[in-house]
Amino acid sequence: MTNARAAVFASGTGSNFRAIMETDNLLCDVVLLVCDKPGAAVMEKAEKFGVPTFIVNPKDYGSKANYERVLLEKLHETDVTWIFLAGYMRIVGPTLLGEFPARIINIHPSLLPDFPGLDAIGQAYEANVGSTGVTVHYIDDGIDTGPIIAQEEVPVNLDDTKEQLTERIQQVEHKLYPQVIQELVKENR
Ligand code: GAR
């Protein structure tokens, strides 16, 4: 059976992108990296893995709909059927959502619905919670509100620095996201 084809969308460091790329038997070929931040470190990682990149600065397109139409054209041209958001710090609009129903997945560093939005790890850290975690979910038109697919709890230790907590959360992300991708792709073949 042939592998599914996917695009990863990322804006930053790309540690989740790397974790996805380093997974054996993902059942899915990442054939495109979409990046909205010129100069983001994820670009070098894509080059290292030989994944073609599509870098688009939304500011060049006047509106979200125009920007997403450019992305859509590229996604269709590349023949992808899945989109995995991995640190893509932008809200997905109706143009993309409408073309990929239940096919856009996101990872978020908290136990949603707690701490949606930006700096979820910092939010949890400041709130002094005893535990936080990681959520993988479908994207809908809200901010981190789509149906949850998987979650894993991560304890917050009393003496944790924010950096230590971030590292522990990211270790969980790097395991959980590829696992969920594998399962989703398998179920939807
Ligand atoms: C990850 O922790 C991811 O969960 C988070 O951005 C980080 C990207 O790291 N995403 C969000 O907060 C989305 N709301 P990475 O670039 O090293 O993969």
mmCIF file of all heavy atoms in Angstrom, residues 10-18 42 45 85-90 106-110 115-121 134-135 137 143-144 166 169-170 173-174, ligand 1:
data_model
loop_
_atom_site.group_PDB
_atom_site.id
_atom_site.type_symbol
_atom_site.label_atom_id
_atom_site.label_comp_id
_atom_site.label_asym_id
_atom_site.label_seq_id
_atom_site.Cartn_x
_atom_site.Cartn_y
_atom_site.Cartn_z
ATOM 1 N N ALA A 10 5.057 24.843 9.872
ATOM 2 C CA ALA A 10 5.802 25.215 11.076
ATOM 3 C C ALA A 10 6.289 26.654 10.960
ATOM 4 O O ALA A 10 6.516 27.153 9.856
ATOM 5 C CB ALA A 10 6.991 24.273 11.271
ATOM 6 N N SER A 11 6.464 27.281 12.124
ATOM 7 C CA SER A 11 6.917 28.679 12.142
ATOM 8 C C SER A 11 8.228 28.861 12.887
ATOM 9 O O SER A 11 8.771 29.966 12.898
ATOM 10 C CB SER A 11 5.881 29.571 12.861
ATOM 11 O OG SER A 11 4.579 29.353 12.420
ATOM 12 N N GLY A 12 8.721 27.809 13.567
ATOM 13 C CA GLY A 12 9.813 28.062 14.511
ATOM 14 C C GLY A 12 10.988 27.112 14.425
ATOM 15 O O GLY A 12 11.586 26.909 13.359
ATOM 16 N N THR A 13 11.296 26.495 15.548
ATOM 17 C CA THR A 13 12.494 25.679 15.686
ATOM 18 C C THR A 13 12.404 24.375 14.895
ATOM 19 O O THR A 13 13.401 23.904 14.342
ATOM 20 C CB THR A 13 12.688 25.329 17.184
ATOM 21 O OG1 THR A 13 12.519 26.509 17.934
ATOM 22 C CG2 THR A 13 14.035 24.731 17.445
ATOM 23 N N GLY A 14 11.260 23.764 14.934
ATOM 24 C CA GLY A 14 11.076 22.546 14.150
ATOM 25 C C GLY A 14 11.473 21.262 14.863
ATOM 26 O O GLY A 14 11.746 20.254 14.206
ATOM 27 N N SER A 15 11.459 21.255 16.201
ATOM 28 C CA SER A 15 11.810 19.997 16.879
ATOM 29 C C SER A 15 10.720 18.945 16.654
ATOM 30 O O SER A 15 11.031 17.750 16.558
ATOM 31 C CB SER A 15 12.076 20.220 18.369
ATOM 32 O OG SER A 15 10.892 20.552 19.046
ATOM 33 N N ASN A 16 9.473 19.354 16.549
ATOM 34 C CA ASN A 16 8.416 18.376 16.244
ATOM 35 C C ASN A 16 8.519 17.886 14.804
ATOM 36 O O ASN A 16 8.292 16.715 14.526
ATOM 37 C CB ASN A 16 7.034 18.974 16.525
ATOM 38 C CG ASN A 16 6.700 18.913 17.998
ATOM 39 O OD1 ASN A 16 6.365 17.860 18.535
ATOM 40 N ND2 ASN A 16 6.829 20.053 18.672
ATOM 41 N N PHE A 17 8.854 18.789 13.911
ATOM 42 C CA PHE A 17 9.081 18.387 12.520
ATOM 43 C C PHE A 17 10.169 17.307 12.472
ATOM 44 O O PHE A 17 10.020 16.275 11.827
ATOM 45 C CB PHE A 17 9.481 19.610 11.686
ATOM 46 C CG PHE A 17 9.986 19.286 10.311
ATOM 47 C CD1 PHE A 17 9.119 18.911 9.300
ATOM 48 C CD2 PHE A 17 11.348 19.326 10.030
ATOM 49 C CE1 PHE A 17 9.594 18.590 8.034
ATOM 50 C CE2 PHE A 17 11.827 19.013 8.772
ATOM 51 C CZ PHE A 17 10.947 18.645 7.769
ATOM 52 N N ARG A 18 11.265 17.562 13.203
ATOM 53 C CA ARG A 18 12.362 16.586 13.202
ATOM 54 C C ARG A 18 11.888 15.241 13.767
ATOM 55 O O ARG A 18 12.199 14.186 13.223
ATOM 56 C CB ARG A 18 13.554 17.104 14.015
ATOM 57 C CG ARG A 18 14.721 16.116 13.973
ATOM 58 C CD ARG A 18 15.960 16.640 14.634
ATOM 59 N NE ARG A 18 15.670 16.995 16.016
ATOM 60 C CZ ARG A 18 16.326 17.918 16.703
ATOM 61 N NH1 ARG A 18 17.296 18.583 16.148
ATOM 62 N NH2 ARG A 18 16.002 18.187 17.946
ATOM 63 N N VAL A 42 13.443 25.858 11.413
ATOM 64 C CA VAL A 42 12.872 24.636 10.815
ATOM 65 C C VAL A 42 13.291 24.470 9.345
ATOM 66 O O VAL A 42 13.379 23.356 8.832
ATOM 67 C CB VAL A 42 11.325 24.635 10.962
ATOM 68 C CG1 VAL A 42 10.666 25.725 10.125
ATOM 69 C CG2 VAL A 42 10.732 23.271 10.629
ATOM 70 N N LYS A 45 16.288 22.357 8.974
ATOM 71 C CA LYS A 45 15.983 20.938 9.246
ATOM 72 C C LYS A 45 15.365 20.303 8.008
ATOM 73 O O LYS A 45 15.668 19.165 7.636
ATOM 74 C CB LYS A 45 15.070 20.817 10.461
ATOM 75 C CG LYS A 45 15.751 21.254 11.754
ATOM 76 C CD LYS A 45 14.890 21.015 12.970
ATOM 77 C CE LYS A 45 15.619 21.351 14.263
ATOM 78 N NZ LYS A 45 15.874 22.789 14.492
ATOM 79 N N LEU A 85 0.208 20.504 11.733
ATOM 80 C CA LEU A 85 0.744 21.761 12.254
ATOM 81 C C LEU A 85 1.718 21.423 13.381
ATOM 82 O O LEU A 85 1.376 20.689 14.307
ATOM 83 C CB LEU A 85 -0.380 22.657 12.796
ATOM 84 C CG LEU A 85 -1.577 22.916 11.866
ATOM 85 C CD1 LEU A 85 -2.535 23.923 12.517
ATOM 86 C CD2 LEU A 85 -1.141 23.401 10.495
ATOM 87 N N ALA A 86 2.927 21.943 13.268
ATOM 88 C CA ALA A 86 3.953 21.638 14.263
ATOM 89 C C ALA A 86 4.626 22.949 14.658
ATOM 90 O O ALA A 86 5.649 23.330 14.100
ATOM 91 C CB ALA A 86 4.963 20.651 13.683
ATOM 92 N N GLY A 87 3.959 23.664 15.579
ATOM 93 C CA GLY A 87 4.474 24.972 15.956
ATOM 94 C C GLY A 87 4.172 25.995 14.881
ATOM 95 O O GLY A 87 4.970 26.899 14.634
ATOM 96 N N TYR A 88 3.019 25.874 14.237
ATOM 97 C CA TYR A 88 2.569 26.858 13.240
ATOM 98 C C TYR A 88 1.743 27.879 14.006
ATOM 99 O O TYR A 88 0.644 27.573 14.473
ATOM 100 C CB TYR A 88 1.741 26.163 12.172
ATOM 101 C CG TYR A 88 1.187 27.068 11.082
ATOM 102 C CD1 TYR A 88 2.029 27.709 10.185
ATOM 103 C CD2 TYR A 88 -0.195 27.238 10.936
ATOM 104 C CE1 TYR A 88 1.517 28.511 9.176
ATOM 105 C CE2 TYR A 88 -0.715 28.026 9.919
ATOM 106 C CZ TYR A 88 0.140 28.662 9.045
ATOM 107 O OH TYR A 88 -0.361 29.451 8.033
ATOM 108 N N MET A 89 2.299 29.082 14.192
ATOM 109 C CA MET A 89 1.698 30.030 15.128
ATOM 110 C C MET A 89 0.731 30.985 14.424
ATOM 111 O O MET A 89 0.865 32.206 14.499
ATOM 112 C CB MET A 89 2.803 30.793 15.870
ATOM 113 C CG MET A 89 3.783 29.867 16.574
ATOM 114 S SD MET A 89 3.006 28.568 17.569
ATOM 115 C CE MET A 89 2.925 29.397 19.131
ATOM 116 N N ARG A 90 -0.246 30.391 13.767
ATOM 117 C CA ARG A 90 -1.178 31.188 12.982
ATOM 118 C C ARG A 90 -2.527 30.444 12.982
ATOM 119 O O ARG A 90 -2.540 29.211 12.960
ATOM 120 C CB ARG A 90 -0.621 31.266 11.558
ATOM 121 C CG ARG A 90 -1.209 32.302 10.670
ATOM 122 C CD ARG A 90 -0.323 32.485 9.452
ATOM 123 N NE ARG A 90 0.904 33.172 9.800
ATOM 124 C CZ ARG A 90 0.988 34.485 10.012
ATOM 125 N NH1 ARG A 90 -0.051 35.260 9.866
ATOM 126 N NH2 ARG A 90 2.141 35.033 10.352
ATOM 127 N N ASN A 106 -3.211 19.399 14.895
ATOM 128 C CA ASN A 106 -2.301 20.311 15.592
ATOM 129 C C ASN A 106 -1.786 19.685 16.878
ATOM 130 O O ASN A 106 -2.458 18.839 17.470
ATOM 131 C CB ASN A 106 -3.065 21.603 15.949
ATOM 132 C CG ASN A 106 -2.183 22.645 16.606
ATOM 133 O OD1 ASN A 106 -1.038 22.853 16.194
ATOM 134 N ND2 ASN A 106 -2.696 23.295 17.634
ATOM 135 N N ILE A 107 -0.602 20.107 17.285
ATOM 136 C CA ILE A 107 -0.108 19.730 18.616
ATOM 137 C C ILE A 107 0.003 20.987 19.443
ATOM 138 O O ILE A 107 0.437 22.043 18.942
ATOM 139 C CB ILE A 107 1.226 18.964 18.544
ATOM 140 C CG1 ILE A 107 1.606 18.485 19.951
ATOM 141 C CG2 ILE A 107 2.360 19.785 17.912
ATOM 142 C CD1 ILE A 107 2.470 17.251 19.967
ATOM 143 N N HIS A 108 -0.429 20.874 20.704
ATOM 144 C CA HIS A 108 -0.432 22.046 21.591
ATOM 145 C C HIS A 108 0.127 21.638 22.947
ATOM 146 O O HIS A 108 -0.252 20.595 23.483
ATOM 147 C CB HIS A 108 -1.866 22.581 21.725
ATOM 148 C CG HIS A 108 -1.940 23.828 22.538
ATOM 149 N ND1 HIS A 108 -1.599 25.068 22.026
ATOM 150 C CD2 HIS A 108 -2.260 24.026 23.846
ATOM 151 C CE1 HIS A 108 -1.735 25.985 22.981
ATOM 152 N NE2 HIS A 108 -2.133 25.376 24.090
ATOM 153 N N PRO A 109 1.009 22.495 23.520
ATOM 154 C CA PRO A 109 1.684 22.093 24.756
ATOM 155 C C PRO A 109 0.912 22.403 26.039
ATOM 156 O O PRO A 109 1.399 23.093 26.932
ATOM 157 C CB PRO A 109 2.998 22.880 24.688
ATOM 158 C CG PRO A 109 2.636 24.129 23.964
ATOM 159 C CD PRO A 109 1.552 23.758 22.990
ATOM 160 N N SER A 110 -0.320 21.889 26.130
ATOM 161 C CA SER A 110 -1.078 21.943 27.394
ATOM 162 C C SER A 110 -2.158 20.880 27.312
ATOM 163 O O SER A 110 -2.375 20.290 26.242
ATOM 164 C CB SER A 110 -1.737 23.311 27.610
ATOM 165 O OG SER A 110 -2.893 23.444 26.796
ATOM 166 N N PHE A 115 -5.243 26.457 29.049
ATOM 167 C CA PHE A 115 -4.117 27.198 28.471
ATOM 168 C C PHE A 115 -4.040 27.150 26.941
ATOM 169 O O PHE A 115 -3.022 26.741 26.369
ATOM 170 C CB PHE A 115 -2.801 26.710 29.082
ATOM 171 C CG PHE A 115 -2.831 26.653 30.585
ATOM 172 C CD1 PHE A 115 -2.616 25.458 31.262
ATOM 173 C CD2 PHE A 115 -3.124 27.794 31.330
ATOM 174 C CE1 PHE A 115 -2.668 25.402 32.649
ATOM 175 C CE2 PHE A 115 -3.180 27.735 32.723
ATOM 176 C CZ PHE A 115 -2.949 26.536 33.376
ATOM 177 N N PRO A 116 -5.096 27.562 26.262
ATOM 178 C CA PRO A 116 -5.015 27.678 24.798
ATOM 179 C C PRO A 116 -4.177 28.902 24.422
ATOM 180 O O PRO A 116 -3.821 29.711 25.282
ATOM 181 C CB PRO A 116 -6.479 27.879 24.388
ATOM 182 C CG PRO A 116 -7.103 28.558 25.568
ATOM 183 C CD PRO A 116 -6.385 28.021 26.792
ATOM 184 N N GLY A 117 -3.870 29.022 23.144
ATOM 185 C CA GLY A 117 -3.211 30.234 22.643
ATOM 186 C C GLY A 117 -1.715 30.220 22.838
ATOM 187 O O GLY A 117 -1.086 29.178 22.957
ATOM 188 N N LEU A 118 -1.166 31.433 22.883
ATOM 189 C CA LEU A 118 0.294 31.589 22.908
ATOM 190 C C LEU A 118 0.895 31.225 24.261
ATOM 191 O O LEU A 118 0.260 31.402 25.298
ATOM 192 C CB LEU A 118 0.661 33.039 22.586
ATOM 193 C CG LEU A 118 0.378 33.525 21.163
ATOM 194 C CD1 LEU A 118 0.732 35.007 21.036
ATOM 195 C CD2 LEU A 118 1.152 32.698 20.147
ATOM 196 N N ASP A 119 2.125 30.768 24.233
ATOM 197 C CA ASP A 119 2.926 30.468 25.428
ATOM 198 C C ASP A 119 2.157 29.649 26.463
ATOM 199 O O ASP A 119 2.070 30.009 27.642
ATOM 200 C CB ASP A 119 3.440 31.780 26.061
ATOM 201 C CG ASP A 119 4.516 31.490 27.124
ATOM 202 O OD1 ASP A 119 5.117 30.392 27.087
ATOM 203 O OD2 ASP A 119 4.742 32.352 27.993
ATOM 204 N N ALA A 120 1.634 28.522 26.006
ATOM 205 C CA ALA A 120 0.842 27.656 26.891
ATOM 206 C C ALA A 120 1.684 27.133 28.055
ATOM 207 O O ALA A 120 1.178 26.979 29.169
ATOM 208 C CB ALA A 120 0.285 26.480 26.088
ATOM 209 N N ILE A 121 2.970 26.901 27.795
ATOM 210 C CA ILE A 121 3.823 26.375 28.876
ATOM 211 C C ILE A 121 4.031 27.461 29.933
ATOM 212 O O ILE A 121 3.915 27.200 31.136
ATOM 213 C CB ILE A 121 5.170 25.867 28.304
ATOM 214 C CG1 ILE A 121 4.907 24.742 27.294
ATOM 215 C CG2 ILE A 121 6.095 25.394 29.426
ATOM 216 C CD1 ILE A 121 6.134 24.242 26.547
ATOM 217 N N VAL A 134 0.209 17.668 27.049
ATOM 218 C CA VAL A 134 0.273 17.825 25.594
ATOM 219 C C VAL A 134 -1.054 17.329 25.005
ATOM 220 O O VAL A 134 -1.592 16.327 25.459
ATOM 221 C CB VAL A 134 1.436 16.975 25.017
ATOM 222 C CG1 VAL A 134 1.418 16.970 23.511
ATOM 223 C CG2 VAL A 134 2.779 17.483 25.541
ATOM 224 N N THR A 135 -1.533 18.056 24.012
ATOM 225 C CA THR A 135 -2.768 17.655 23.325
ATOM 226 C C THR A 135 -2.533 17.609 21.819
ATOM 227 O O THR A 135 -1.932 18.526 21.260
ATOM 228 C CB THR A 135 -3.903 18.678 23.596
ATOM 229 O OG1 THR A 135 -4.119 18.776 25.002
ATOM 230 C CG2 THR A 135 -5.202 18.272 22.910
ATOM 231 N N HIS A 137 -4.918 17.504 18.467
ATOM 232 C CA HIS A 137 -6.342 17.700 18.169
ATOM 233 C C HIS A 137 -6.559 18.100 16.712
ATOM 234 O O HIS A 137 -5.630 18.581 16.040
ATOM 235 C CB HIS A 137 -6.927 18.766 19.111
ATOM 236 C CG HIS A 137 -6.361 20.146 18.918
ATOM 237 N ND1 HIS A 137 -7.018 21.129 18.223
ATOM 238 C CD2 HIS A 137 -5.193 20.702 19.311
ATOM 239 C CE1 HIS A 137 -6.281 22.231 18.209
ATOM 240 N NE2 HIS A 137 -5.166 21.998 18.856
ATOM 241 N N ILE A 143 -9.495 28.912 18.466
ATOM 242 C CA ILE A 143 -8.076 28.868 18.859
ATOM 243 C C ILE A 143 -7.890 27.670 19.785
ATOM 244 O O ILE A 143 -8.336 27.680 20.935
ATOM 245 C CB ILE A 143 -7.659 30.172 19.569
ATOM 246 C CG1 ILE A 143 -7.834 31.358 18.607
ATOM 247 C CG2 ILE A 143 -6.206 30.090 20.048
ATOM 248 C CD1 ILE A 143 -7.509 32.699 19.223
ATOM 249 N N ASP A 144 -7.299 26.614 19.251
ATOM 250 C CA ASP A 144 -7.022 25.394 20.018
ATOM 251 C C ASP A 144 -8.291 24.776 20.603
ATOM 252 O O ASP A 144 -8.297 24.288 21.742
ATOM 253 C CB ASP A 144 -5.990 25.678 21.129
ATOM 254 C CG ASP A 144 -4.684 26.228 20.573
ATOM 255 O OD1 ASP A 144 -4.252 25.758 19.510
ATOM 256 O OD2 ASP A 144 -4.104 27.138 21.195
ATOM 257 N N THR A 166 9.562 22.993 29.927
ATOM 258 C CA THR A 166 9.460 23.007 28.461
ATOM 259 C C THR A 166 10.115 21.761 27.879
ATOM 260 O O THR A 166 9.554 21.095 26.995
ATOM 261 C CB THR A 166 10.149 24.273 27.892
ATOM 262 O OG1 THR A 166 9.496 25.415 28.437
ATOM 263 C CG2 THR A 166 10.084 24.314 26.374
ATOM 264 N N ILE A 169 7.972 18.685 28.469
ATOM 265 C CA ILE A 169 6.786 18.700 27.604
ATOM 266 C C ILE A 169 7.188 18.336 26.166
ATOM 267 O O ILE A 169 6.522 17.536 25.499
ATOM 268 C CB ILE A 169 6.089 20.073 27.669
ATOM 269 C CG1 ILE A 169 5.358 20.192 29.011
ATOM 270 C CG2 ILE A 169 5.119 20.265 26.503
ATOM 271 C CD1 ILE A 169 4.658 21.502 29.243
ATOM 272 N N GLN A 170 8.301 18.888 25.730
ATOM 273 C CA GLN A 170 8.682 18.623 24.330
ATOM 274 C C GLN A 170 9.082 17.165 24.119
ATOM 275 O O GLN A 170 8.809 16.600 23.063
ATOM 276 C CB GLN A 170 9.766 19.598 23.893
ATOM 277 C CG GLN A 170 9.151 21.009 23.767
ATOM 278 C CD GLN A 170 9.949 21.965 22.920
ATOM 279 O OE1 GLN A 170 11.165 21.846 22.824
ATOM 280 N NE2 GLN A 170 9.267 22.925 22.318
ATOM 281 N N GLU A 173 5.888 15.546 23.507
ATOM 282 C CA GLU A 173 5.392 15.909 22.166
ATOM 283 C C GLU A 173 6.055 15.060 21.087
ATOM 284 O O GLU A 173 5.382 14.545 20.182
ATOM 285 C CB GLU A 173 5.684 17.386 21.853
ATOM 286 C CG GLU A 173 4.877 18.357 22.659
ATOM 287 C CD GLU A 173 4.973 19.789 22.125
ATOM 288 O OE1 GLU A 173 6.055 20.209 21.679
ATOM 289 O OE2 GLU A 173 3.955 20.476 22.162
ATOM 290 N N HIS A 174 7.366 14.903 21.213
ATOM 291 C CA HIS A 174 8.123 14.234 20.141
ATOM 292 C C HIS A 174 7.781 12.749 20.028
ATOM 293 O O HIS A 174 8.039 12.126 18.999
ATOM 294 C CB HIS A 174 9.629 14.434 20.363
ATOM 295 C CG HIS A 174 10.022 15.880 20.348
ATOM 296 N ND1 HIS A 174 11.195 16.353 20.874
ATOM 297 C CD2 HIS A 174 9.360 16.970 19.863
ATOM 298 C CE1 HIS A 174 11.246 17.670 20.723
ATOM 299 N NE2 HIS A 174 10.137 18.067 20.112
HETATM 300 C C1 GAR B 1 5.600 23.132 20.337
HETATM 301 O O1 GAR B 1 5.741 23.054 21.738
HETATM 302 C C2 GAR B 1 4.136 23.135 19.948
HETATM 303 O O2 GAR B 1 3.338 22.345 20.766
HETATM 304 C C3 GAR B 1 3.796 24.598 20.103
HETATM 305 O O3 GAR B 1 4.916 25.265 19.561
HETATM 306 C C4 GAR B 1 6.085 24.498 19.839
HETATM 307 C C5 GAR B 1 6.889 24.367 18.553
HETATM 308 O O4 GAR B 1 8.123 23.782 18.807
HETATM 309 N N1 GAR B 1 2.583 24.918 19.400
HETATM 310 C C6 GAR B 1 1.683 25.778 19.857
HETATM 311 O O5 GAR B 1 1.814 26.417 20.888
HETATM 312 C C7 GAR B 1 0.444 25.911 18.978
HETATM 313 N N2 GAR B 1 -0.591 26.612 19.653
HETATM 314 P P1 GAR B 1 9.002 23.200 17.628
HETATM 315 O O6 GAR B 1 9.115 24.296 16.577
HETATM 316 O O7 GAR B 1 10.329 22.909 18.258
HETATM 317 O O8 GAR B 1 8.312 21.967 17.095
#
